[in-house]
Amino acid sequence: MTSHRQPAVFAGHGSPMYALEPNRFTDAWAALGKTLKRPDAILVISAHWVTRGTWVTAMKNPKTIHDFGGFPQALFDIQYPAPGSPALADRVQELLDVPVVLEENEWGIDHGAWSVLKYLYPDADVPVVQLSLDGSISASEHYHLAKQLQPLRDENILILSSGNIVHNLRTIHWQEDAKPYPWAKDFNAFFISMMQANRHEPLIEWEKYGQAAHMSIPTPEHYWPAIYTLALQRDDERANVFVDGIEMSSISMLGFTVQ
């Protein structure tokens, strides 16, 4: 990686409770934050903002969104008061070859973003902009869209994608140290092997991998953010795993960077 280029980061964000209960995954996010050159702003692609079309937050002071239910009040009390960046929102609109809605009122920083950012940048002093996931387009189209964001990395913008490679809520075991399902381990290992071999096409066309893929990705919104980080990889860069593991039997906590 050139000295001035920001890496692109994918974090498996897991349970919202990690924002209250640090563990080895949140420790890895915090450690990563200490190694990163301070960015001028952060562009986040979160699994928790799926829209019709492509939207980007453009407000000066985004609110902290608690987009979940059934958790302790302490989780709803968490605030991540990072400023926004209307200038970055305009730049994203300029780079993308699709219409982009500049969203100034309804969204903000959702838990897919702040649960990780809380550890990466605990002072909430780096401006944050979120880019939505267009729920109507394919993984291949998301990959194409993400490639258009590459210039931002040379403009000191950190691009953080947040989701989970394996994310099957219907098969979760809530107890600690739950044994991973074989299919979850299988697909997680397949993803890592293809990523490290710089073979993106099998990961874009993940459905072709078969039952393990379909069990791991019953809906694609948590998987798509990883496609963004892959697409941001340059020819002179490698993908590096900074944390891995499967929690609650069917949630992959894999995190990786390209740099």
Side-chain angles (χ1 to χ4, degrees), residues 134-145:
D134 183 347
S136 70
I137 66 176
S138 68
S140 180
E141 289 169 308
H142 280 293
Y143 187 85
H144 169 76
L145 197 72

Side-chain angles (χ1 to χ4, degrees), residues 126-248:
V126 180
V128 175
V129 166
Q130 280 203 218
L131 175 68
S132 76
L133 293 165
D134 183 347
S136 70
I137 66 176
S138 68
S140 180
E141 289 169 308
H142 280 293
Y143 187 85
H144 169 76
L145 197 72
K147 279 198 170 295
Q148 297 167 50
L149 299 170
Q150 284 199 12
L152 295 176
R153 297 181 55 205
D154 294 316
E155 298 167 15
N156 201 33
I157 303 301
L158 177 67
I159 302 177
L160 169 66
S161 300
S162 176
N164 296 99
I165 301 299
V166 177
H167 185 265
N168 192 327
L169 297 181
R170 294 174 300 198
T171 58
I172 272 180
H173 291 139
W174 288 101
Q175 67 267 30
E176 283 189 36
D177 301 322
K179 186 177 180 180
Y181 290 107
W183 50 261
K185 293 174 64 176
D186 179 7
F187 187 74
N188 197 63
F190 168 72
F191 186 96
I192 293 171
S193 67
M194 292 296 100
M195 176 182 74
Q196 292 182 333
N198 296 326
R199 294 184 59 197
H200 293 178
E201 199 63 32
L203 300 179
I204 297 168
E205 299 179 350
W206 58 269
E207 298 99 327
K208 294 181 179 179
Y209 191 64
Q211 185 181 14
H214 288 274
M215 288 296 293
S216 298
I217 310 172
T219 58
E221 77 289 334
H222 274 75
Y223 184 76
W224 283 335
I227 295 294
Y228 279 69
T229 306
L230 293 175
L232 290 163
Q233 183 177 351
R234 307 283 181 87
D235 290 342
D236 62 339
E237 295 179 325
R238 292 189 58 79
N240 302 288
V241 173
F242 68 87
V243 70
D244 189 21
I246 294 175
E247 292 289 278
M248 297 175 283

Side-chain angles (χ1 to χ4, degrees), residues 10-117:
F10 173 79
H13 63 241
S15 169
M17 286 301 293
Y18 294 170
L20 291 176
E21 300 171 349
N23 54 41
R24 71 181 183 92
F25 305 110
T26 65
D27 289 348
W29 303 337
L32 177 65
K34 291 181 174 71
T35 70
L36 298 172
K37 183 182 73 161
R38 183 181 174 85
D40 291 334
I42 304 166
L43 180 66
V44 181
I45 298 96
S46 164
H48 291 272
W49 194 23
V50 181
T51 54
R52 184 183 297 275
T54 300
W55 297 54
V56 63
T57 57
M59 66 285 287
K60 292 181 179 179
N61 296 291
K63 60 188 174 184
T64 303
I65 297 177
H66 302 89
D67 51 325
F68 43 70
F71 289 95
Q73 183 59 43
L75 198 59
F76 291 88
D77 291 341
I78 290 177
Q79 295 293 310
Y80 191 80
S85 175
L88 175 55
D90 287 343
R91 179 69 173 131
V92 170
Q93 186 181 50
E94 180 182 284
L95 287 171
L96 297 183
D97 66 358
V98 296
V100 176
V101 178
L102 297 178
E103 206 293 293
E104 298 185 33
N105 300 300
E106 298 302 318
W107 206 246
I109 303 175
D110 67 49
H111 89 267
W114 58 255
S115 64
V116 178
L117 289 169

